[in-house]
Amino acid sequence: EKWPRGDETVWKTNMRGVDADVGNITKSVVNHVQTSLARQAYNLDNLGAYQAAALSVRDNMLVNWNETQLHYTRKAPKRAYYLSLEFLMGRTLDNALLNLDLKSQYKDGINQLGFSLEDLLEEERDAALGNGGLGRLAACYLDSSASQDLPVWGYGLRYKYGIFQQLISPEGNQLEAPDPWLDNQNPWELPRIDVNYEVRFYGQSERLPEGHGRAIWTGGQEVLAVAYDVMIPGCHTRNTNNLRLWESKPKRGFDLNSFNAGNYEGAVESSNSAAAITSVLYPNDHTTFGKELRLKQQYFWTAASLADIIRRFKNLGKSINEFPDYVAIQLNDTHPTLAIPELMRILLDEEDLDWNFAWQIVTNVFFFTNHTVLPEALEKWPVPLMEHILPRHMQIIYDINMIFLQAVEKKFPGDRERLARMSLIEEGFPKQVRMANLACIGSRRINGVAELHSQLVQTTILKDFVEFFGVSKFGNVTNGITPRRWLDQCNPELSKLISSTLKIDKSVWLKDLYKLKGLVKFAEDKGFRAEWAAIKQRNKERLAHHIETTLGFTVNTNAMFDVQIKRLHEYKRQTLNILGVVHRYLELKAMTPAQRKKINPKVVFFAGKAAPAYYIAKLTIRLIVNVARVINADPETKDYLSLYFLPDYSVSLAEVLIPASDISQHISTAGTEASGTSNMKFCLNGGLLVGTVDGANIEIAEEVGEENVFFFGHLTPAVEDLRYQHVYHPVPVDEACPALANVLNQISGGLFGDGGVYEPLVNTIRQGDYYLVTDDFDSYIRALAMVDDAYMDRDEWVKKSINTTANMGKFSSDRAIMDYAQEYWNLEPIPVGKD
Ligand code: GL2
C-alpha cells in the first residue's frame, strides 16, 4: 500500500513542526481556549488558562513524539522497557517547557494574554502514581532515557486514584482522603482506545498430553486493558519517549442477560470488578499485604505490557528466537515478576516452543532490580490464591521450580536446606510463591541500587543464588536523580548562577553533570559565595512564603533550615529526629536567656505520609505535630527552635523544600535504606547532609568528601549483634542512654499532651528497639552539635555547600541510565533528526 494516501506534498506542507514563535504560541493557546475547552476569554480563570497552555505545549511535544516513534520504527533498534507499578511523575508543564526550551516564549505569550505562567503552573495537579523513592526513581529514569536518546518506554498502570491525600487532624492524626487527580481532565495523556488487549483471570488450565509442558487455559474472567500514552520529552533533544499506562475495562459493557432478567446489580457487577483493577494505587511502602486485587493488578499490567511488546517485536518480521536481541525488560522490584511465567506461557502455549528454548529466551530478556532488603517487603503470594487467579502460571512456576531445583541438587548434592531456601515455593500453611527467587532465576542480571545495598543483596537475601549462578550475574547501579527537575526546574536561580559562572550553557552541564566540578575553584571566591548564599536565602524565603500562604504560619527565615522528608517508617527513624528535637528543647529550657542568645536558631521541617495501616508511623506523626504545638508556642524558646509538620508531602512540595534546606537528615539504621534519592537532591542543591553510614549516603560522602557530611551511628556489621544484645541481654534505656531516657520520660509524663497516647511508640524503643534508636542517640546528638558549630562559621559553611554541589556529578540519573543501557540492556542511543 502506498504511503501516505493522497498527495504527499499536501500532507507534507500541512505537517507542523515545534513552534517557538511567541505570536504562534498565543494563537495556539487562544485556539485551545476557544475550541478544545469551548470557553471564552471573558470568563477564563487560571485553571482554564493552564489547560489551554498545557494543550498548546502538548501539541509541540506531539510533533517530537511522533517523529521519535517513526524514527525508532524505521531504525528498528533494540529497545528497553521499564516495568514499574509506580511512576511518581509530579507536574508536567514546567518540566516540558524546560526540556523543550520553550519556557521564556510561553512566559511572554501567556503574559500577553493577561495571565502569569507562575500562576498557571500552580494549577496543575501532581500525577502521584507512586509511594516514594521507588516510583520517583522510575520517573527520573524516564527523563534520562529520553534526554540520552535511548529507545526506552515505561509501562505502568493508570490508577484512577493516586497516593492518598494526607490531612492532619487537630489532634495530630493522619487522615486519608482520595486523590482524584483525573477529575480536571489530564491534558498530558493520549487515550489509545484502539490499543487494547484481553487479559484473562481464573478459569482452568489443562496440560496437553503430548508434552513440551504445554497447556490450554480457558474460561474465567476476561478484562480489557486499554492504553493511555504519556509523552516523555528529553532535555534539549527531539527524542520524546513514551510511558504507556493501562486502564482496565470490562470486555463487554454489561451482561445483557442479567439485565433483561431484571438483575441490574448482577448485570453491572462484572464490569465493576473489571474497572476496579486499576482504580487505586496501593499505599503501602515496603510491605506486602497479599491482597487478591493487588495480584490482579500485577498480572493485568504485565500481561498487557508483554502482549504490546511482543506485537511491536513481531512487526519487525523477525523470528521469535531473536527476541532478546531486540527487547530488554527491566523489572522494577518484584512487582512485575509475573512477566516471567507469562512470557513462558506465551512461548510455550501460543508460540509452541519447547521448554528449554523458551526458558533461554526468557532468561535473556529480563533484568531485575532489587530495591530493599527489608524482610517485610519481600513479596510472597499464597499458592492457593495464585492457583485460583492464575492457574496456568502456577503450573509454569512449579515446572520452573522443579527443573531449577534439580540443577541445584546437581551442584550441591544432598544439601536439603539449601534446596528449601532456594525453592520458589516456601513451605507453610499456606505455601507461598517467593517472587524474589523467581525474579532472580528468570533474569539475565540482577542489581541493587547503591554499592552497600548491592553487597547486602549478594550476601544476605540472594546469597545462595550468588553461589549457584556466580557473582557475575549480580551487579550494582547506584541510583540517580534528574538534574532537570531537581536543579534547573526547582532552583532556577542556582541554575542560572551555575551557567554564568561556568560559562557553559545549561543544556550542556545538565546533560553532563560532572561539569559541576568547575565550581570547586569558585568556593574560594568571596563574591561567588555571597551570591550562592543569597540564593539559598531567597529559596528559604520562597518556602516560608509557601507555608505562610498555605498553612498560615510565619517561619523564621534567619534560622537554619533542617529538613527530613520521606515516607514515615521506623527504619527511617523519624523518631530519632523528633526525640532529638525534644532533647534540644529541654536543653534550651534549661538555659538562661543569656545562654540562649548564643544559640543559632533552627527550624525543623518534617513531611511524609504513613501507610494507612501503619500504626506506629501514624503515632510518630501525632507526636511530631504535638511537639510542634508545644514548642512553637513556648515564648522562652520559640525564637531558637521551631518545628513544622507539613501535610500532604508530594513531588511539588519537595521542589520547594529541597532548595531551601541548609541541612537534611538521612538517618536510617545502617543497612536498611537501600539507597535514598532525596539525599542526592538536597546535596545537588547545596544542602549539607547529616546521616548514617547507609545507602547512597556513603557514595555521596565519597564524592563530596567526608569533611562535608555529618556522619554518625553504628555501622552495618554491628547492627545484627546489637539487635541480638537487645533481645538476650537487654539494658534499660535509663542505663544505656540517660539523655534519651530523659526525653522519653518527658513524653510519657505528658509534656506534649496525654503521655499514654505515645506509650506504644515509646515502647518500641524501651523494648527490643529493633532500629537501634538507643544505640545511636548520643552520637546523633553529637553530630547535630557539630552541624551547629559548623553553621556558626557561615563562610566555611557556604564553602562546604558549594563543594557539595560541585561534586554531585555522579548522581545524575543520566549516568545511572547509561549504566543500565551499557552493562545490562546492551542499548544504543538513537538520536532523532541527527541522521
Ligand atoms: C526503595 C528504597 O527504600 C530506597 O532507599 C531507594 O532509594 C528506592 C529507589 O531505589 O527504593 N525501595 C522501596 O521499596 N521503596 C523505596 O523507595 N519504596
Side-chain angles (χ1 to χ4, degrees):
E1 209 188 334
K2 174 181 163 294
W3 185 93
R5 290 221 220 162
D7 186 339
E8 187 167 352
T9 54
V10 175
W11 277 102
K12 284 212 162 143
T13 49
N14 285 303
M15 298 267 275
R16 58 166 289 177
V18 174
D19 201 336
D21 176 78
V22 178
N24 290 337
I25 285 171
T26 53
K27 190 170 168 184
S28 108
V29 173
V30 169
N31 182 42
H32 279 297
V33 170
Q34 190 183 9
T35 61
S36 313
L37 304 178
R39 295 186 67 166
Q40 289 168 347
Y42 76 86
N43 69 352
L44 192 71
D45 53 9
N46 277 338
L47 178 61
Y50 155 71
Q51 284 171 325
L55 288 169
S56 163
V57 173
R58 174 174 109 159
D59 290 344
N60 277 316
M61 258 203 289
L62 268 169
V63 172
N64 286 340
W65 184 86
N66 268 317
E67 191 90 359
T68 307
Q69 305 322 314
L70 190 65
H71 189 66
Y72 289 171
T73 303
R74 286 193 177 140
K75 291 241 145 187
K78 184 173 185 184
R79 297 171 183 248
Y81 299 100
Y82 197 83
L83 266 59
S84 180
L85 260 193
E86 304 190 7
F87 286 95
L88 197 42
M89 304 296 282
R91 290 170 172 163
T92 294
L93 180 55
D94 202 11
N95 179 251
L97 287 172
L98 288 164
N99 277 3
L100 288 162
D101 200 16
L102 290 175
K103 187 160 177 178
S104 71
Q105 292 88 331
Y106 269 84
K107 205 176 172 122
D108 282 2
I110 282 160
N111 257 331
Q112 288 180 27
L113 297 171
F115 291 87
S116 106
L117 178 60
E118 297 309 308
D119 290 345
L120 302 199
L121 295 178
E122 289 301 312
E123 291 294 319
E124 182 171 355
R125 291 207 189 178
D126 276 39
L129 308 184
N131 276 288
L134 173 147
R136 182 54 232 178
L137 183 75
C140 284
Y141 282 172
L142 292 181
D143 180 84
S144 281
S145 298
S147 298
Q148 294 296 323
D149 303 324
L150 293 170
V152 177
W153 277 27
Y155 277 105
L157 290 182
R158 180 184 182 268
Y159 304 106
K160 195 163 166 206
Y161 298 94
I163 188 71
F164 62 85
Q165 206 189 319
Q166 179 192 52
L167 307 168
I168 303 294
S169 80
E171 300 77 43
N173 293 321
Q174 169 180 292
L175 306 174
E176 299 95 26
D179 163 43
W181 71 293
L182 294 166
D183 276 9
N184 290 341
Q185 300 257 18
N186 175 12
W188 305 112
E189 65 180 12
L190 309 161
R192 295 260 174 226
I193 308 302
D194 53 317
V195 180
N196 59 71
Y197 300 92
E198 287 168 15
V199 178
R200 185 185 306 280
F201 297 99
Y202 313 105
Q204 307 79 39
S205 173
E206 264 183 67
R207 290 187 186 265
L208 293 182
E210 71 267 30
H212 304 312
R214 288 183 62 212
I216 295 182
W217 181 23
T218 53
Q221 177 192 23
E222 280 180 284
V223 174
L224 212 57
V226 181
Y228 284 73
D229 287 347
V230 180
M231 292 169 281
I232 309 293
C235 170
H236 293 250
T237 171
R238 297 199 62 186
N239 286 61
T240 302
N241 284 341
N242 197 32
L243 166 60
R244 181 157 282 179
L245 301 177
W246 301 106
E247 180 189 47
S248 62
K249 285 212 328 193
K251 195 175 151 190
R252 283 174 287 277
F254 55 83
D255 176 8
L256 205 58
N257 284 335
S258 305
F259 189 78
N260 287 336
N263 178 8
Y264 300 132
E265 269 143 44
V268 292
E269 197 181 340
S270 74
S271 68
N272 287 345
S273 93
I277 294 173
T278 55
S279 63
V280 62
L281 166 80
Y282 275 88
N284 313 310
D285 199 57
H286 292 99
T287 41
T288 61
F289 272 101
K291 287 277 191 296
E292 171 163 344
L293 187 61
R294 169 81 172 190
L295 185 59
K296 287 182 83 170
Q297 286 186 338
Q298 294 187 346
Y299 179 62
F300 171 80
W301 153 62
T302 51
S305 306
L306 263 182
D308 200 42
I309 291 165
I310 290 170
R311 193 188 60 170
R312 189 166 308 109
F313 168 75
K314 288 201 161 176
N315 284 340
L316 299 174
K318 306 277 174 189
S319 110
I320 193 75
N321 55 339
E322 290 178 86
F323 194 58
D325 301 332
Y326 288 88
V327 172
I329 299 176
Q330 188 68 39
L331 306 175
N332 196 29
D333 218 291
T334 51
H335 316 149
T337 301
L338 284 169
I340 290 168
E342 171 67 0
L343 183 56
M344 281 303 279
R345 185 191 69 77
I346 294 168
L347 297 178
L348 296 170
D349 300 352
E350 293 177 9
E351 299 294 325
D352 211 7
L353 301 188
D354 75 45
W355 180 279
N356 289 336
F357 194 36
W359 186 243
Q360 202 189 329
I361 291 177
V362 167
T363 51
N364 277 304
V365 163
F366 291 107
F367 297 86
F368 165 49
T369 304
N370 170 282
H371 291 269
T372 180
V373 294
L374 295 193
E376 62 268 36
L378 286 183
E379 280 197 302
K380 290 170 194 168
W381 289 105
V383 167
L385 184 69
M386 191 85 96
E387 242 156 16
H388 179 54
I389 297 178
L390 301 168
R392 178 59 183 136
H393 298 77
M394 198 59 238
Q395 291 173 336
I396 291 172
I397 290 168
Y398 274 129
D399 290 355
I400 294 173
N401 199 36
M402 191 186 65
I403 295 166
F404 174 64
L405 291 181
Q406 281 168 359
V408 176
E409 167 64 28
K410 201 164 165 199
K411 186 155 183 174
F412 302 97
D415 194 341
R416 307 281 305 240
E417 282 176 19
R418 183 183 297 268
L419 288 178
R421 291 194 305 268
M422 297 181 79
S423 174
L424 299 184
I425 310 294
E426 185 171 280
E427 293 301 325
F429 306 97
K431 291 182 184 171
Q432 311 225 50
V433 183
R434 294 165 167 157
M435 303 309 271
N437 292 16
L438 180 54
C440 181
I441 72 173
S443 294
R444 187 172 169 80
R445 293 200 75 199
I446 293 122
N447 72 287
V449 292
E451 289 291 347
L452 172 66
H453 169 244
S454 295
Q455 283 308 314
L456 288 173
V457 167
Q458 291 169 36
T459 52
T460 63
I461 53 175
L462 297 181
K463 181 167 184 277
D464 293 319
F465 295 87
V466 174
E467 287 167 12
F468 179 77
F469 289 109
V471 74
S472 64
K473 179 168 168 151
F474 298 81
N476 171 62
V477 181
T478 297
N479 284 167
I481 56 169
T482 169
R484 272 73 68 179
R485 183 174 296 261
W486 298 113
L487 179 51
D488 189 37
Q489 183 184 325
C490 71
N491 201 344
E493 284 201 64
L494 196 67
S495 173
K496 223 180 268 163
L497 178 65
I498 291 170
S499 300
S500 64
T501 307
L502 297 177
K503 302 197 168 61
I504 305 176
D505 193 81
K506 74 177 181 184
S507 62
V508 175
W509 64 260
L510 280 173
K511 298 219 271 186
D512 177 7
L513 205 60
Y514 285 108
K515 290 243 152 42
L516 291 179
K517 272 235 156 42
L519 293 171
V520 168
K521 63 171 185 277
F522 293 94
E524 299 309 318
D525 176 331
K526 201 156 180 239
F528 180 74
R529 284 204 301 274
E531 287 187 76
W532 190 269
I535 290 171
K536 181 62 80 184
Q537 188 58 32
R538 284 196 288 278
N539 287 331
K540 288 164 79 168
E541 277 150 21
R542 181 177 71 165
L543 172 62
H545 177 75
H546 177 83
I547 292 172
E548 176 109 45
T549 51
T550 55
L551 301 171
F553 301 123
T554 307
V555 178
N556 176 8
T557 54
N558 293 319
M560 179 202 293
F561 278 18
D562 177 336
V563 185
Q564 188 180 17
I565 46 176
K566 45 187 88 243
R567 285 299 286 246
L568 266 287
H569 203 297
E570 286 163 283
Y571 89 81
K572 294 179 186 282
R573 298 200 296 191
Q574 281 93 353
T575 40
L576 191 53
N577 188 349
I578 189 61
L579 297 172
V581 170
V582 173
H583 179 266
R584 191 181 186 91
Y585 173 64
L586 297 175
E587 277 192 335
L588 281 167
K589 289 295 278 181
M591 287 178 190
T592 64
Q595 286 173 319
R596 271 184 221 126
K597 282 223 160 63
K598 294 194 193 126
I599 300 291
N600 231 306
K602 177 155 143 175
V603 184
V604 178
F605 298 93
F606 282 91
K609 293 175 183 179
Y614 193 167
Y615 178 67
I616 293 294
K618 287 180 136 177
L619 201 50
T620 308
I621 294 179
R622 181 160 172 163
L623 178 62
I624 296 167
V625 172
N626 282 288
V627 171
R629 182 177 50 76
V630 171
I631 73 175
N632 293 353
D634 189 327
E636 285 185 329
T637 60
K638 71 183 174 61
D639 292 340
Y640 305 100
L641 177 63
S642 50
L643 169 63
Y644 299 96
F645 184 91
L646 307 179
D648 204 31
Y649 182 52
S650 64
V651 170
S652 295
L653 185 56
E655 289 167 14
V656 189
L657 273 160
I658 288 168
S661 109
D662 294 305
I663 187 96
S664 67
Q665 305 213 18
H666 308 274
I667 56 178
S668 49
T669 312
T672 61
E673 188 70 274
S675 162
T677 41
S678 79
N679 44 5
M680 302 169 188
K681 296 167 194 168
F682 283 104
C683 291
L684 184 59
N685 284 276
L688 304 192
L689 177 156
V690 56
T692 44
V693 185
D694 200 15
N697 292 353
I698 299 169
E699 287 157 77
I700 291 174
E702 273 167 21
E703 296 296 305
V704 309
E706 280 220 27
E707 68 282 8
N708 292 319
V709 306
F710 301 90
F711 269 149
F712 73 95
H714 287 88
L715 305 186
T716 303
V719 169
E720 211 182 321
D721 190 46
L722 287 167
R723 281 180 178 158
Y724 180 89
Q725 300 287 333
H726 288 192
V727 176
Y728 295 102
H729 308 284
V731 179
V733 180
D734 309 67
E735 274 172 50
C737 183
L740 175 61
N742 181 34
V743 169
L744 297 181
N745 291 338
Q746 291 292 341
I747 293 169
S748 299
L751 187 56
F752 307 105
D754 185 358
V757 167
Y758 303 111
E759 278 314 274
L761 172 59
V762 166
N763 283 340
T764 62
I765 298 167
R766 288 208 174 112
Q767 298 159 16
D769 193 12
Y770 189 74
Y771 293 104
L772 313 187
V773 172
T774 315
D775 308 86
D776 283 348
F777 191 76
D778 287 333
S779 73
Y780 175 61
I781 298 298
R782 280 198 299 276
L784 291 183
M786 284 168 67
V787 172
D788 288 329
D789 285 348
Y791 198 68
M792 287 285 185
D793 188 345
R794 205 58 57 85
D795 231 22
E796 277 304 309
W797 182 277
V798 177
K799 281 185 201 171
K800 285 180 189 292
S801 167
I802 295 166
N803 279 314
T804 298
T805 301
N807 288 297
M808 288 298 290
K810 170 175 171 182
F811 302 99
S812 170
S813 45
D814 294 353
R815 183 270 311 151
I817 209 72
M818 287 309 288
D819 222 359
Y820 279 106
Q822 287 162 4
E823 304 296 323
Y824 294 76
W825 308 331
N826 193 18
L827 218 62
E828 300 272 324
I830 308 290
V832 173
K834 295 200 181 132
D835 58 347

